[in-house]
């Protein structure tokens, strides 16, 4: 059976954690070049989450502001409602409530 | 002797005959509850658009015991359009949307099913577009979408749009469904596909639509999309209250963990 979405996320998370742990271990060694950036390495998950958050907020806002307002569709519908009422009445339909 | 020139109407009649000869029939399911005002209009529009495009169709009205007399209105319409076009399959009381589809499908004579809302937010002019796209790609289902191309909404304020876009973003991120509009309910299905999907879905309310399309992806059905305009004529009343959001979140997590 295929992985569920939850399992896929957990797998990706585990992979990233492994990768990050390696980086942290390397940055802890004084002779390693990453040692100078130890804080950056430690903060990496927070930075990535923050960046993704910014991306998410901007994407959603952009989509809200570019969400089409269908004024013409509403106008067309209103016209057609009048047409329909006229046509149906001529065919013997009664819009009044019976009884 | 000159061959007789074909008149325009004769040509149209021939084209239409050709379309119905393909044997495809479209059963449009309209679940209703207190739609006395809207039902005549939506049926008039469906007939208007489908008669000109020449497809073979029927409209199945599933009224759940509306107290406003929707069923009487439907009976009047049946007299005008005929019993082969308008099929009435009322139920005693308000039952779920899923069971309305099962109930309607049992009586559907078409090999394709169109589901849409009867409140005029879904315009029947898109049905021929759904059909055309379905034929082009032999899709298992075609879904209307408000979120891409010329699709859109009318009558939504900032908050409503924000909730809609936000929920959609989150769902796309977590479920990657391969369809842009998950909660919309304007769709065309192959009948066997809809039967299979309905049997597997457990959600209630509008979340049901989301589960249907997620299960469709899970079963490797092909999905086509047509941009639609969604005209919300009910002003000031947001259908997205707190309980809807909680219900949505629950289903999202359920589908996240199980599909």
């Amino acid at each position: 059976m295929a992985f569920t979405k939850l399992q896929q996320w957990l797998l990706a998370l585990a992979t990233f954690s492994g990768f990050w742990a390696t980086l942290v271990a390397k940055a802890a060694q004084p002779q390693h070049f990453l040692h100078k950036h130890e804080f950056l390495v430690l903060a990496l998950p927070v930075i990535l989450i923050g960046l993704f958050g910014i991306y998410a907020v901007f994407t959603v806002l952009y989509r809200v502001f570019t969400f089409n307002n269908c004024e013409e569709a509403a106008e067309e519908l209103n016209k057609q409602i009048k047409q329909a009422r006229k046509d149906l009445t001529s065919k013997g339909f009664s819009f009044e409530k019976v009884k | 002797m000159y061959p007789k020139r074909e008149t325009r109407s004769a040509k149209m009649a021939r084209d239409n005959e050709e379309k119905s000869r393909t044997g495809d029939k479209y059963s449009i399911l309209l679940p209703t509850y207190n739609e006395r005002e809207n039902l005549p209009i939506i049926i008039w529009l469906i007939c208007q658009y489908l008669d000109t495009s020449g497809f073979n169709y029927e409209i199945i009205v599933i009224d759940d015991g509306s107290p406003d007399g929707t069923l009487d209105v439907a009976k009047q319409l049946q007299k005008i359009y005929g019993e082969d076009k308008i099929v009435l399959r009322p139920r005693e009381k308000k039952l779920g949307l899923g069971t309305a589809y099962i109930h309607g499908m049992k009586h559907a004579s078409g090999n394709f099913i169109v589901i849409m809302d009867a409140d005029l937010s879904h315009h029947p002019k898109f049905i021929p577009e759904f059909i055309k796209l379905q034929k082009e790609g032999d899709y298992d289902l075609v879904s209307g979408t408000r979120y891409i191309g010329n699709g859109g909404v009318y009558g939504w304020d900032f908050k409503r749009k924000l909730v809609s876009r936000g929920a959609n973003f989150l769902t796309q991120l977590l479920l990657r469904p391969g369809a842009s509009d998950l909660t919309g309910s304007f769709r065309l299905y192959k009948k066997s596909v809809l039967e299979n999907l309905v049997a597997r879905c457990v959600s209630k309310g509008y979340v049901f639509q989301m589960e249907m399309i997620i299960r469709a992806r899970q079963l490797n059905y092909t999905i086509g999309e047509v941009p639609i305009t969604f005209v919300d004529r009910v002003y000031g009343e947001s259908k997205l209250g707190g309980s809807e959001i909680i219900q949505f979140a629950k289903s999202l997590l359920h589908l996240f963990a199980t599909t």
Side-chain angles (χ1 to χ4, degrees):
Chain A
M1 215 195 114
F3 283 129
T4 67
K5 288 286 175 276
L6 175 63
Q7 288 164 333
Q8 290 174 16
W9 275 75
L10 290 176
L11 196 68
L13 195 67
T15 312
F16 174 79
S17 302
F19 169 72
W20 180 58
T22 324
L23 285 186
V24 170
K26 280 182 182 156
Q29 297 164 355
Q31 71 277 24
H32 200 277
F33 79 97
L34 276 176
H35 190 64
K36 271 180 275 175
H37 312 287
E38 199 177 2
F39 177 75
L40 209 61
V41 170
L42 284 172
L44 189 62
V46 181
I47 292 169
L48 288 181
I49 289 171
L51 284 177
F52 180 76
I54 293 167
Y55 162 76
V57 167
F58 275 93
T59 307
V60 169
L61 283 178
Y62 175 76
R63 288 176 184 173
V64 169
F65 288 116
T66 55
F67 213 158
N68 286 332
N69 277 318
C70 311
E71 305 284 342
E72 301 94 44
E75 264 170 51
E76 182 194 22
L77 180 63
N78 282 333
K79 258 187 226 151
Q80 287 178 326
I81 289 174
K82 286 191 194 109
Q83 254 180 304
R85 292 181 76 98
K86 222 170 117 188
D87 187 48
L88 282 168
T89 309
S90 77
K91 282 178 176 153
F93 182 85
S94 160
F95 280 91
E96 300 304 310
K97 198 161 181 173
V98 258
K99 275 172 274 177
Chain B
M1 214 173 105
Y2 283 111
K4 233 189 194 167
R5 257 251 207 69
E6 211 176 18
T7 62
R8 227 182 120 210
S9 62
K11 187 179 178 303
M12 259 175 77
R14 193 171 51 90
D15 283 352
N16 288 352
E17 205 179 295
E18 211 163 282
K19 275 180 195 164
S20 39
R21 222 185 297 139
T22 59
D24 287 332
K25 184 171 180 181
Y26 299 87
S27 296
I28 299 158
L29 303 190
L30 282 182
T32 58
Y33 188 76
N34 287 346
E35 298 289 358
R36 203 178 78 85
E37 292 286 325
N38 294 325
L39 190 65
I41 314 291
I42 191 90
I43 285 183
W44 185 84
L45 283 168
I46 292 172
C47 294
Q48 203 79 351
Y49 282 94
L50 289 186
D51 284 342
T52 37
S53 59
F55 295 110
N56 192 9
Y57 69 99
E58 66 183 355
I59 303 166
I60 301 177
V61 181
I62 305 136
D63 185 59
D64 277 5
S66 304
D68 76 339
T70 304
L71 190 57
D72 295 327
V73 165
K75 281 178 185 156
Q76 271 201 69
L77 290 161
Q78 197 180 32
K79 275 190 203 123
I80 294 173
Y81 289 103
E83 283 179 22
D84 54 330
K85 279 274 178 293
I86 317 274
V87 182
L88 306 182
R89 293 289 170 245
R91 303 191 293 178
E92 290 275 298
K93 58 174 173 24
K94 212 171 180 205
L95 302 157
L97 200 56
T99 59
Y101 293 147
I102 294 173
H103 183 76
M105 261 191 295
K106 254 191 262 165
H107 305 280
S109 61
N111 54 333
F112 286 95
I113 307 276
V114 175
I115 59 170
M116 65 190 298
D117 293 346
D119 64 359
L120 298 178
S121 55
H122 295 149
H123 199 295
K125 70 182 172 192
F126 296 110
I127 298 175
E129 290 183 34
F130 283 26
I131 294 173
K132 199 171 148 255
L133 182 70
Q134 193 284 325
K135 283 188 187 299
E136 279 169 19
D138 191 30
Y139 292 109
D140 292 313
L141 76 98
V142 173
S143 174
T145 175
R146 297 160 288 181
Y147 298 117
I148 58 173
N150 293 323
V153 293
Y154 175 81
W156 280 15
D157 58 9
F158 177 80
K159 190 190 148 208
R160 187 82 198 272
K161 284 182 173 178
L162 184 66
V163 171
S164 174
R165 283 295 201 184
N168 190 262
F169 182 84
L170 190 64
T171 316
Q172 294 291 343
L173 178 69
L174 293 181
L175 301 179
R176 300 196 302 279
S180 57
D181 195 338
L182 306 171
T183 49
S185 52
F186 192 2
R187 292 177 189 158
L188 167 75
Y189 291 88
K190 285 180 181 168
K191 191 183 182 189
S192 56
V193 170
L194 183 60
E195 279 169 340
N196 193 5
L197 286 174
V198 166
R200 285 162 195 270
C201 290
V202 293
S203 310
K204 297 266 179 293
Y206 80 102
V207 180
F208 177 76
Q209 307 296 353
M210 174 162 91
E211 187 175 0
M212 294 267 275
I213 213 147
I214 301 292
R215 301 268 176 222
R217 183 215 58 201
Q218 195 186 14
L219 296 167
N220 292 319
Y221 285 135
T222 52
I223 303 172
E225 291 196 293
V226 172
I228 58 158
T229 53
F230 181 94
V231 178
D232 205 339
R233 293 158 70 241
V234 193
Y235 288 95
E237 183 198 337
S238 176
K239 285 175 204 157
L240 274 173
S243 69
E244 274 86 0
I245 291 176
I246 290 168
Q247 196 197 359
F248 176 82
K250 267 190 188 163
S251 318
L252 182 59
L253 291 178
H254 174 73
L255 291 171
F256 181 59
T258 58
T259 67

